[in-house]
Amino acid sequence: MPDGTQNDTVLHRRLLNTQEGEGLRCLAAFVQGDGDDRRFRAFFASGTLANRFRSSAEAGAVIDQEFSILGGVEVAGRATGRDPGVLSLPLSDGVLQLSPATPEPELFAGLDVGLTIVNGHAPQVVGDWLSYHVTEHGMQGALVVHRVWPGEDPDQMAKHLAKVAKTLPGLKRLLILEAHAPLGKPDLPREDHPVLAPDAPGKARMEMPATDPYRAPLGEILIYEIAKWGWLSEAGAVLSLDPSDIVDLPNGGPTVFQKAHTAASGVVALHGTRVYPWRLRQGKRARIGDHTCRRFDHHGITRKWCVAPSVTGQENPWRVIRIANARPDPAYVTHFWRCMGLRHPRRAISTLVPKSSLIEEPALLELARHLGETPVRTPAAPVIATEPAAEAGSTTIVTCMRNEGPFILEWIAYHRAIGVDDFLIYSNDCTDGTDRLLDALQQRGIVTHRQNPFRGTSLKPQHAALKAAEEEEVVTRAGWVISMDVDEFLNIHTGDGSLAALYEAVGDATMISATWRLFGNGDIDRFDPDLTIRQFTRCAPQFVRKPHHAWGFKTLSRSLGHYRKLGVHRPRGLKPEFWDQIRWVNGSGRPMPREALRNAWRSTASTFGYDLVTLNHYAVRNSESFLVKRDRGRVNHVDRDQGMNYWFRMNHNTDEDRSIHRMIPAVEAELAALLADPELARLHTDCIAAHRTRIEELRARPDMAAFYAQITSERMQRLSRLHPHFGANVYHAGPEVIPDEIITADLSPNYFFTVPRQD
């Protein structure tokens, strides 16, 4: 590569003069001046120890400035060596001989310059970035730091940018600084891999690629200082952006450079939004104008900067996202777009961001029109007219059961009493008469019973059931649908406790989430077939942030096509074109935040609410019945044991709540009507008998007998009333990490105990 000038005075190419010696890697070194007035500045790679350097006029340099910047070291001072072509830098254990370059601030003196760092970006991407900012923001110069990959031909970049430069009469100077040494973080893979894309879905399941310091995100942050002291210290203003970053159109207002010249501090903060194409046409590479979408549920910003060096001074270090020791003028904050299809080329958009989160941004559509681009648009969303919640139609519950026989009739009676119209119940592998009772209920038109179709699929039983349910008439014709379990009861606090009263209270809501309140066994160990809602009144406090599951919710949702499928806690597969038509409220009727629309399954301190509805969750019931529950396994997390940790997390007896008792007379009336049928009464009695028999069998097993002794112990009874005192790691580790003295102490309300995370 010629180290000189091409295209008359517009295009210049330079090599980053990285050198190694004495166990040090010097990224660049500059010496300026003559004779005794020679000043030097040297920049050393991350990991350099500042105490390696010493000041000695006799040894070649007097150091008067030394900075440690994010792992790298910058030293400056007076060069005293006799050879003007050599910088002798004294060390604590020797002398480092460097061949310095001469700074060239005159190349960009007085010009408004863009500074960008190329890391695998195609020449066309860099050319488009250059052309856009010259044309739209009056950029007069550009310093392009080209991180050259092994095997890459840097001439291809230079040739393309030379061609672009000829079309830009406003461009006065273009310098390509080629770095052939690795500048990336040594412990990270290549930057364009989806594992490093901030919004990429499924990162936890991705295999981390091999580390690659040539292609990894920038690690040698001193490259910004090198650019400043080597070439940009006398520039009019400097705009720092990635090649995938595009500053908003000025639209008749000041350009970003004009703002920097005007700002009292000389610094303009740039706040960026990550944006994406909806889809690229077959065989076409992404361009600026293809990026028309942003996430509706993300409000974070990416930061860059623009600075006028003559205003801020040259001594404030330049970093990736800010100018150190300089406060940006808040009146001049400027927005830019980070085009992720340019940052991660050749990657499917769905590997970079959940497409269910993408919506079109009008400003980006205008930008595409301005650039003459015709991007692929998102699907048009018809406006779905919705009647008030109270007029939406029938309500259907979808559930899964296995060996729940003794509890079925109460659960159905309760939910019929509050206004549920239809029950779609999937069962599998029942040995207690559950399936026979459900068949009889179906024959009487009370439920729709199906065998769970999970066998022969890769799906868990609950997911297989929900998938099959989407084709059932009781779901497709319903106005409202909820997936919930037989140990969950919708406890409605408004009006007369009915669903009609709840729907009336939420106006035009399309989704209503009822947050769990975990009910414990209340120290009841023996199975009794009396009503669950009457027996168990001890529960968790309403405000209970831990354990993690305490604020799970289930969701009543309208059948409006806003989502693609049913889900365990809420519908799944948001169709993003409908995001602004969803009216999702919590159990107090307050709107849920847009960040919840795609994946939320539990409430938070800002979204929980119980004013209108609670989901009473009787997860453990009594100790004997819990043995049966543990024995049969779970319908969703089938590979997880419902053992001591589960009992500890779910058995809450701190508070008491009897609000659901107002529904007992209505439930007893419904239950009596069901039991008036001799066949249903017989099958119900058979289920109770089978449940008792299974309890006896399990208690006779040594392992289950030991487990029963543990969960009924005085220690566990005491712990069930102390949950608010424990941190999340205690629930991860299990009750055995809690010292006995805590259990027996009279704890203050603010007492808190936790342990380190145990993997």
PDB file of all heavy atoms in Angstrom, residues 78 206 213 246 328 373 416 439 447 466 477 523 583 613 619 629 697 700 714 723:
ATOM      1  N   ARG A  78       8.428  15.084  26.424  1.00  0.00           N
ATOM      2  CA  ARG A  78       9.461  15.691  25.571  1.00  0.00           C
ATOM      3  C   ARG A  78      10.464  14.619  25.182  1.00  0.00           C
ATOM      4  O   ARG A  78      11.000  13.905  26.043  1.00  0.00           O
ATOM      5  CB  ARG A  78      10.137  16.834  26.311  1.00  0.00           C
ATOM      6  CG  ARG A  78      11.204  17.590  25.518  1.00  0.00           C
ATOM      7  CD  ARG A  78      11.581  18.884  26.229  1.00  0.00           C
ATOM      8  NE  ARG A  78      12.027  18.642  27.584  1.00  0.00           N
ATOM      9  CZ  ARG A  78      13.309  18.377  27.923  1.00  0.00           C
ATOM     10  NH1 ARG A  78      14.239  18.315  26.978  1.00  0.00           N
ATOM     11  NH2 ARG A  78      13.628  18.197  29.192  1.00  0.00           N
ATOM     12  N   MET A 206     -27.499 -20.248  22.169  1.00  0.00           N
ATOM     13  CA  MET A 206     -26.463 -20.150  21.147  1.00  0.00           C
ATOM     14  C   MET A 206     -25.139 -20.714  21.654  1.00  0.00           C
ATOM     15  O   MET A 206     -24.793 -20.564  22.825  1.00  0.00           O
ATOM     16  CB  MET A 206     -26.244 -18.692  20.725  1.00  0.00           C
ATOM     17  CG  MET A 206     -27.382 -18.064  19.976  1.00  0.00           C
ATOM     18  SD  MET A 206     -26.924 -16.388  19.424  1.00  0.00           S
ATOM     19  CE  MET A 206     -28.509 -15.781  18.862  1.00  0.00           C
ATOM     20  N   PRO A 213      -9.741 -11.871  17.938  1.00  0.00           N
ATOM     21  CA  PRO A 213      -9.382 -10.472  18.231  1.00  0.00           C
ATOM     22  C   PRO A 213      -9.310  -9.586  16.994  1.00  0.00           C
ATOM     23  O   PRO A 213      -9.378  -8.362  17.123  1.00  0.00           O
ATOM     24  CB  PRO A 213      -8.019 -10.591  18.914  1.00  0.00           C
ATOM     25  CG  PRO A 213      -7.485 -11.914  18.482  1.00  0.00           C
ATOM     26  CD  PRO A 213      -8.665 -12.811  18.307  1.00  0.00           C
ATOM     27  N   ILE A 246     -26.549   6.274  11.067  1.00  0.00           N
ATOM     28  CA  ILE A 246     -27.004   7.344  10.187  1.00  0.00           C
ATOM     29  C   ILE A 246     -27.678   8.419  11.033  1.00  0.00           C
ATOM     30  O   ILE A 246     -28.667   8.150  11.720  1.00  0.00           O
ATOM     31  CB  ILE A 246     -28.012   6.806   9.140  1.00  0.00           C
ATOM     32  CG1 ILE A 246     -27.361   5.712   8.302  1.00  0.00           C
ATOM     33  CG2 ILE A 246     -28.533   7.939   8.257  1.00  0.00           C
ATOM     34  CD1 ILE A 246     -26.146   6.160   7.505  1.00  0.00           C
ATOM     35  N   PRO A 328     -22.029  17.290  27.470  1.00  0.00           N
ATOM     36  CA  PRO A 328     -22.748  17.670  26.251  1.00  0.00           C
ATOM     37  C   PRO A 328     -23.808  18.725  26.549  1.00  0.00           C
ATOM     38  O   PRO A 328     -24.391  18.752  27.633  1.00  0.00           O
ATOM     39  CB  PRO A 328     -23.394  16.365  25.778  1.00  0.00           C
ATOM     40  CG  PRO A 328     -22.641  15.282  26.471  1.00  0.00           C
ATOM     41  CD  PRO A 328     -22.185  15.855  27.771  1.00  0.00           C
ATOM     42  N   GLU A 373     -35.250   4.689  -2.033  1.00  0.00           N
ATOM     43  CA  GLU A 373     -35.299   3.245  -1.804  1.00  0.00           C
ATOM     44  C   GLU A 373     -36.752   2.771  -1.732  1.00  0.00           C
ATOM     45  O   GLU A 373     -37.656   3.532  -1.357  1.00  0.00           O
ATOM     46  CB  GLU A 373     -34.584   2.882  -0.499  1.00  0.00           C
ATOM     47  CG  GLU A 373     -33.124   3.298  -0.453  1.00  0.00           C
ATOM     48  CD  GLU A 373     -32.222   2.371  -1.248  1.00  0.00           C
ATOM     49  OE1 GLU A 373     -32.735   1.369  -1.795  1.00  0.00           O
ATOM     50  OE2 GLU A 373     -31.017   2.661  -1.343  1.00  0.00           O
ATOM     51  N   ARG A 416     -68.272 -22.265  37.035  1.00  0.00           N
ATOM     52  CA  ARG A 416     -69.621 -22.086  36.486  1.00  0.00           C
ATOM     53  C   ARG A 416     -70.368 -21.011  37.276  1.00  0.00           C
ATOM     54  O   ARG A 416     -71.114 -20.202  36.711  1.00  0.00           O
ATOM     55  CB  ARG A 416     -70.389 -23.411  36.535  1.00  0.00           C
ATOM     56  CG  ARG A 416     -70.027 -24.354  35.386  1.00  0.00           C
ATOM     57  CD  ARG A 416     -70.485 -25.773  35.673  1.00  0.00           C
ATOM     58  NE  ARG A 416     -71.923 -25.915  35.774  1.00  0.00           N
ATOM     59  CZ  ARG A 416     -72.732 -26.351  34.791  1.00  0.00           C
ATOM     60  NH1 ARG A 416     -72.216 -26.664  33.607  1.00  0.00           N
ATOM     61  NH2 ARG A 416     -74.025 -26.492  34.996  1.00  0.00           N
ATOM     62  N   ASP A 439     -65.314 -37.960  31.125  1.00  0.00           N
ATOM     63  CA  ASP A 439     -66.172 -38.496  30.057  1.00  0.00           C
ATOM     64  C   ASP A 439     -67.646 -38.319  30.416  1.00  0.00           C
ATOM     65  O   ASP A 439     -68.477 -37.937  29.559  1.00  0.00           O
ATOM     66  CB  ASP A 439     -65.873 -39.980  29.831  1.00  0.00           C
ATOM     67  CG  ASP A 439     -64.582 -40.205  29.064  1.00  0.00           C
ATOM     68  OD1 ASP A 439     -64.106 -39.252  28.410  1.00  0.00           O
ATOM     69  OD2 ASP A 439     -64.038 -41.325  29.127  1.00  0.00           O
ATOM     70  N   VAL A 447     -68.546 -30.332  29.975  1.00  0.00           N
ATOM     71  CA  VAL A 447     -67.168 -30.074  29.544  1.00  0.00           C
ATOM     72  C   VAL A 447     -66.956 -30.710  28.175  1.00  0.00           C
ATOM     73  O   VAL A 447     -67.759 -31.536  27.720  1.00  0.00           O
ATOM     74  CB  VAL A 447     -66.127 -30.641  30.539  1.00  0.00           C
ATOM     75  CG1 VAL A 447     -66.381 -30.160  31.953  1.00  0.00           C
ATOM     76  CG2 VAL A 447     -66.057 -32.162  30.481  1.00  0.00           C
ATOM     77  N   LEU A 466     -52.498 -27.175  24.279  1.00  0.00           N
ATOM     78  CA  LEU A 466     -52.830 -25.822  23.837  1.00  0.00           C
ATOM     79  C   LEU A 466     -52.809 -25.716  22.315  1.00  0.00           C
ATOM     80  O   LEU A 466     -53.636 -25.022  21.721  1.00  0.00           O
ATOM     81  CB  LEU A 466     -51.855 -24.825  24.456  1.00  0.00           C
ATOM     82  CG  LEU A 466     -51.995 -24.627  25.973  1.00  0.00           C
ATOM     83  CD1 LEU A 466     -50.883 -23.736  26.497  1.00  0.00           C
ATOM     84  CD2 LEU A 466     -53.354 -24.040  26.318  1.00  0.00           C
ATOM     85  N   ARG A 477     -64.949 -20.181  18.934  1.00  0.00           N
ATOM     86  CA  ARG A 477     -66.174 -19.377  19.010  1.00  0.00           C
ATOM     87  C   ARG A 477     -66.217 -18.511  20.265  1.00  0.00           C
ATOM     88  O   ARG A 477     -67.107 -17.670  20.426  1.00  0.00           O
ATOM     89  CB  ARG A 477     -67.404 -20.289  18.992  1.00  0.00           C
ATOM     90  CG  ARG A 477     -67.631 -21.017  20.311  1.00  0.00           C
ATOM     91  CD  ARG A 477     -68.880 -21.869  20.309  1.00  0.00           C
ATOM     92  NE  ARG A 477     -69.095 -22.485  21.612  1.00  0.00           N
ATOM     93  CZ  ARG A 477     -69.491 -23.731  21.785  1.00  0.00           C
ATOM     94  NH1 ARG A 477     -69.721 -24.512  20.736  1.00  0.00           N
ATOM     95  NH2 ARG A 477     -69.665 -24.210  23.008  1.00  0.00           N
ATOM     96  N   ASP A 523     -50.935 -25.606  57.532  1.00  0.00           N
ATOM     97  CA  ASP A 523     -50.596 -26.671  58.485  1.00  0.00           C
ATOM     98  C   ASP A 523     -51.602 -27.816  58.458  1.00  0.00           C
ATOM     99  O   ASP A 523     -51.691 -28.614  59.409  1.00  0.00           O
ATOM    100  CB  ASP A 523     -50.472 -26.134  59.924  1.00  0.00           C
ATOM    101  CG  ASP A 523     -49.395 -25.060  60.052  1.00  0.00           C
ATOM    102  OD1 ASP A 523     -48.465 -25.060  59.220  1.00  0.00           O
ATOM    103  OD2 ASP A 523     -49.502 -24.229  60.968  1.00  0.00           O
ATOM    104  N   ARG A 583     -55.264  -3.967  24.321  1.00  0.00           N
ATOM    105  CA  ARG A 583     -55.580  -3.278  25.566  1.00  0.00           C
ATOM    106  C   ARG A 583     -55.446  -4.299  26.704  1.00  0.00           C
ATOM    107  O   ARG A 583     -56.388  -4.985  27.058  1.00  0.00           O
ATOM    108  CB  ARG A 583     -57.005  -2.703  25.527  1.00  0.00           C
ATOM    109  CG  ARG A 583     -57.286  -1.795  24.353  1.00  0.00           C
ATOM    110  CD  ARG A 583     -56.563  -0.454  24.481  1.00  0.00           C
ATOM    111  NE  ARG A 583     -56.897   0.433  23.379  1.00  0.00           N
ATOM    112  CZ  ARG A 583     -56.179   0.542  22.267  1.00  0.00           C
ATOM    113  NH1 ARG A 583     -55.069  -0.167  22.117  1.00  0.00           N
ATOM    114  NH2 ARG A 583     -56.548   1.372  21.310  1.00  0.00           N
ATOM    115  N   VAL A 613     -59.217  -8.596  40.456  1.00  0.00           N
ATOM    116  CA  VAL A 613     -59.193 -10.051  40.369  1.00  0.00           C
ATOM    117  C   VAL A 613     -57.850 -10.577  40.859  1.00  0.00           C
ATOM    118  O   VAL A 613     -56.805  -9.964  40.644  1.00  0.00           O
ATOM    119  CB  VAL A 613     -59.469 -10.531  38.925  1.00  0.00           C
ATOM    120  CG1 VAL A 613     -58.431  -9.999  37.954  1.00  0.00           C
ATOM    121  CG2 VAL A 613     -59.565 -12.053  38.841  1.00  0.00           C
ATOM    122  N   ALA A 619     -51.390 -24.451  45.203  1.00  0.00           N
ATOM    123  CA  ALA A 619     -50.424 -25.325  44.551  1.00  0.00           C
ATOM    124  C   ALA A 619     -50.083 -26.564  45.366  1.00  0.00           C
ATOM    125  O   ALA A 619     -49.698 -27.589  44.798  1.00  0.00           O
ATOM    126  CB  ALA A 619     -49.141 -24.541  44.251  1.00  0.00           C
ATOM    127  N   LYS A 629     -49.420 -35.391  44.084  1.00  0.00           N
ATOM    128  CA  LYS A 629     -49.008 -34.416  43.061  1.00  0.00           C
ATOM    129  C   LYS A 629     -47.558 -34.640  42.668  1.00  0.00           C
ATOM    130  O   LYS A 629     -47.223 -34.636  41.476  1.00  0.00           O
ATOM    131  CB  LYS A 629     -49.207 -33.005  43.602  1.00  0.00           C
ATOM    132  CG  LYS A 629     -48.760 -31.909  42.640  1.00  0.00           C
ATOM    133  CD  LYS A 629     -49.184 -30.538  43.130  1.00  0.00           C
ATOM    134  CE  LYS A 629     -48.778 -29.450  42.124  1.00  0.00           C
ATOM    135  NZ  LYS A 629     -49.379 -28.154  42.427  1.00  0.00           N
ATOM    136  N   GLU A 697     -50.536 -45.810  49.754  1.00  0.00           N
ATOM    137  CA  GLU A 697     -49.435 -46.499  49.078  1.00  0.00           C
ATOM    138  C   GLU A 697     -48.153 -45.671  49.127  1.00  0.00           C
ATOM    139  O   GLU A 697     -47.062 -46.204  49.384  1.00  0.00           O
ATOM    140  CB  GLU A 697     -49.817 -46.784  47.621  1.00  0.00           C
ATOM    141  CG  GLU A 697     -50.941 -47.786  47.463  1.00  0.00           C
ATOM    142  CD  GLU A 697     -51.461 -47.873  46.037  1.00  0.00           C
ATOM    143  OE1 GLU A 697     -51.073 -47.010  45.197  1.00  0.00           O
ATOM    144  OE2 GLU A 697     -52.247 -48.792  45.751  1.00  0.00           O
ATOM    145  N   ALA A 700     -46.478 -45.462  52.512  1.00  0.00           N
ATOM    146  CA  ALA A 700     -45.835 -46.725  52.887  1.00  0.00           C
ATOM    147  C   ALA A 700     -44.450 -46.868  52.266  1.00  0.00           C
ATOM    148  O   ALA A 700     -43.669 -47.726  52.700  1.00  0.00           O
ATOM    149  CB  ALA A 700     -46.722 -47.910  52.478  1.00  0.00           C
ATOM    150  N   GLU A 714     -42.011 -29.322  62.107  1.00  0.00           N
ATOM    151  CA  GLU A 714     -42.177 -27.997  62.696  1.00  0.00           C
ATOM    152  C   GLU A 714     -41.298 -26.975  61.993  1.00  0.00           C
ATOM    153  O   GLU A 714     -41.700 -25.821  61.819  1.00  0.00           O
ATOM    154  CB  GLU A 714     -41.845 -28.041  64.188  1.00  0.00           C
ATOM    155  CG  GLU A 714     -42.051 -26.704  64.883  1.00  0.00           C
ATOM    156  CD  GLU A 714     -41.717 -26.753  66.361  1.00  0.00           C
ATOM    157  OE1 GLU A 714     -41.379 -27.851  66.846  1.00  0.00           O
ATOM    158  OE2 GLU A 714     -41.778 -25.697  67.025  1.00  0.00           O
ATOM    159  N   HIS A 723     -41.458 -16.414  54.524  1.00  0.00           N
ATOM    160  CA  HIS A 723     -41.019 -16.174  53.148  1.00  0.00           C
ATOM    161  C   HIS A 723     -40.603 -14.738  52.841  1.00  0.00           C
ATOM    162  O   HIS A 723     -39.643 -14.516  52.108  1.00  0.00           O
ATOM    163  CB  HIS A 723     -42.116 -16.608  52.167  1.00  0.00           C
ATOM    164  CG  HIS A 723     -42.225 -18.089  52.024  1.00  0.00           C
ATOM    165  ND1 HIS A 723     -42.973 -18.860  52.886  1.00  0.00           N
ATOM    166  CD2 HIS A 723     -41.684 -18.954  51.128  1.00  0.00           C
ATOM    167  CE1 HIS A 723     -42.890 -20.127  52.521  1.00  0.00           C
ATOM    168  NE2 HIS A 723     -42.117 -20.214  51.469  1.00  0.00           N
TER     169      HIS A 723
END
